[in-house]
Amino acid sequence: MRKIILLCLIMISSLTYGQKLVITPNGLKNSIEIEKSYIVININGLTSKQLYDKSINYINKNYKNPNEVIKGKIEGEYLKFDTYVIDIANIKQGFSNMWWNCSYTTEIYFKDDKIKYEIISLEFPGNIRDHSVKNTYPLLLMGKGFTWYIFNMNGELKRDELKIQIETYFNDKLDKFKEFLSDTTTIKNENW
């Protein structure tokens, strides 16, 4: 009975919340179509130019130096930007915590009523800020031996807690971006 209820909840959440990103040994992938590294976001009623403009507004409102993070753009068609996150993930190591930052690049293509959203590069350098342990070791998606990694070389998950933390971050960001694009008040409030 519990399995049936859990399956129903998963199906409802996938219908309600749509596509999500999951960490795999090969990077971030679409949770519904795992072979794809991108997500298509449908926003009915907006042209590619409007979606592009709203995406630029999102970057302007959510990044400290928007002109520095934008790495490429073609008005109404394409946008590429970099993001750097401090303390995206941590793991308990003995009596201490190991922390990792994240550097990633997002690429977006625009069409009327939809966008293609993809993380095209993803790195997890160690965090050398004042935490309980100064961590200069990167976190790898796949690794072996004495390195820090999420999946071993056979593709088996070894650090579930890191996978969950990273997926939570990226899916929260994706949800906020979708909400921003869907918010009609940003268009209606132009005549204040």
Side-chain angles (χ1 to χ4, degrees):
M1 184 66 174
R2 284 184 181 175
K3 289 181 181 180
I4 293 172
I5 292 171
L6 181 60
L7 182 60
C8 289
L9 288 173
I10 290 170
M11 289 174 58
I12 290 169
S13 69
S14 68
L15 292 173
T16 306
Y17 300 108
Q19 304 167 74
K20 296 286 182 185
L21 293 167
V22 293
I23 281 280
T24 71
N26 299 316
L28 286 166
K29 299 290 184 177
N30 183 318
S31 64
I32 296 171
E33 298 177 72
I34 203 74
E35 70 281 354
K36 293 182 179 177
S37 59
Y38 62 88
I39 288 181
V40 175
I41 302 171
N42 294 307
I43 308 290
N44 293 329
L46 295 179
T47 66
S48 60
K49 172 79 167 81
Q50 288 172 314
L51 290 168
Y52 172 85
D53 290 343
K54 288 187 92 161
S55 297
I56 292 288
N57 287 343
Y58 174 84
I59 292 170
N60 285 331
K61 290 182 179 184
N62 290 286
Y63 286 78
K64 194 183 285 186
N65 299 308
N67 292 330
E68 291 179 23
V69 302
I70 295 175
K71 300 301 177 188
K73 60 184 177 176
I74 301 171
E75 189 170 329
E77 294 179 30
Y78 171 79
L79 183 60
K80 179 179 172 180
F81 59 98
D82 289 340
T83 305
Y84 189 79
V85 182
I86 295 173
D87 298 345
I88 193 169
N90 73 322
I91 192 168
K92 190 105 170 126
Q93 176 66 22
F95 295 109
S96 309
N97 282 322
M98 300 290 286
W99 292 86
W100 286 274
N101 298 334
C102 181
S103 176
Y104 65 96
T105 302
T106 307
E107 208 169 54
I108 303 172
Y109 289 90
F110 301 91
K111 289 186 178 181
D112 290 351
D113 298 320
K114 63 183 173 181
I115 67 169
K116 177 184 167 191
Y117 179 95
E118 183 174 14
I119 306 299
I120 60 168
S121 71
L122 182 64
E123 294 178 354
F124 300 97
N127 185 326
I128 55 174
R129 293 181 347 150
D130 278 332
H131 288 293
S132 54
V133 172
K134 293 191 184 271
N135 177 17
T136 58
Y137 301 102
L139 175 63
L140 305 174
L141 294 180
M142 282 182 73
K144 65 179 181 176
F146 295 107
T147 61
W148 288 96
Y149 53 88
I150 298 173
F151 297 91
N152 68 15
M153 298 306 283
N154 296 325
E156 297 168 342
L157 180 62
K158 292 297 179 181
R159 303 255 191 266
D160 188 47
E161 63 273 30
L162 292 175
K163 181 180 186 298
I164 291 169
Q165 290 173 45
I166 293 166
E167 287 175 353
T168 299
Y169 168 82
F170 280 102
N171 287 312
D172 286 349
K173 279 298 231 191
L174 181 62
D175 288 343
K176 287 176 184 169
F177 183 61
K178 287 179 193 177
E179 286 173 27
F180 191 90
L181 292 176
S182 299
D183 185 5
T184 57
T185 59
T186 56
I187 294 173
K188 291 179 184 175
N189 287 339
E190 290 177 0
N191 298 325
W192 51 272

